[in-house]
Amino acid sequence: MRNSALLVIAVLIAIFAVPPAISVASATPSGPSVAPSPSFFVTIGVDPGGATRFVPATIIIPQVNITLNITFMNNYTVGGGMVHTFSIANSDNSVTEIGNSSTASVAPGKNISFEFHINSLTNITYKGVSFTPESSGQGIRWFCIPHRSAGMTGEILLAGLTGPTPEKGILIRAYWIGIIGIAATLAWTIISYFIIKSSSGHFKDHHEHVRKGLP
Ligand SMILES: [Cu+2]
């Protein structure tokens, strides 16, 4: 009887102790979104074949309220290369807020680094000035001033808006599969214990056998 009491206690401990451990593990991926204001570093180059386009032409940020630090490398120098800019316009296209200075024109073989804060996809802060950036439809448009008409553009997208995030579904599914698996195992252990205990006379006399030195 003392054994079965111990078993019940062990089962109860297992049921109540294991789920929190799993939920802590499954909650971990949501940690970064709790972080106040992280920085995100990206390097953008130009087409290695000399075409007027950015490579890559898409920046996917993991969240808004993030400082985006961009290094733009004008890494095509064949035949003297071309001068490019990395620019973001105000939403009414009247003012080019980022890149509207001589230092934003990047000569072949040179690169520039700058950063701005993305408060939301419709509000960014650059050098202390907040404005609504030109939209690309889903995100923020950036472009090269001399080659915009030739299609030298790019966009900043928010990860959650560009497609489904299957990771979360898998985690929740795995969590429930784990819980059901643990519960089934425990149930089967308890059932087996009582089936064996009630159907076997041998086990009832086990202590007596041990005392007599029998197997
Ligand atoms: Cu250009």
Side-chain angles (χ1 to χ4, degrees), residues 46 94 132 163 192 207:
V46 297
S94 61
T132 301
S192 303
H207 291 290

Side-chain angles (χ1 to χ4, degrees), residues 65-87:
N65 187 23
I66 194 170
T67 297
L68 183 57
N69 185 297
I70 294 171
T71 296
F72 173 49
M73 301 171 59
N74 188 350
N75 54 324
Y76 183 79
T77 56
V78 177
M82 285 171 277
V83 172
H84 298 292
T85 76
F86 187 109
S87 306

Side-chain angles (χ1 to χ4, degrees), residues 83-84 144 146-147 152:
V83 172
H84 298 292
C144 168
H147 302 117
M152 194 167 181

Side-chain angles (χ1 to χ4, degrees), residues 136-152:
S136 66
Q138 278 195 303
I140 299 168
R141 167 69 65 220
W142 95 71
F143 59 94
C144 168
I145 294 172
H147 302 117
R148 178 171 184 149
S149 59
M152 194 167 181

Side-chain angles (χ1 to χ4, degrees), residues 147-183:
H147 302 117
R148 178 171 184 149
S149 59
M152 194 167 181
T153 62
E155 64 181 332
I156 299 165
L157 299 173
L158 180 60
L161 296 181
T162 55
T165 50
E167 298 90 341
K168 216 156 214 174
I170 288 165
L171 274 174
I172 291 166
R173 205 157 53 235
Y175 171 77
W176 283 111
I177 289 169
I179 291 295
I180 291 165
I182 290 165

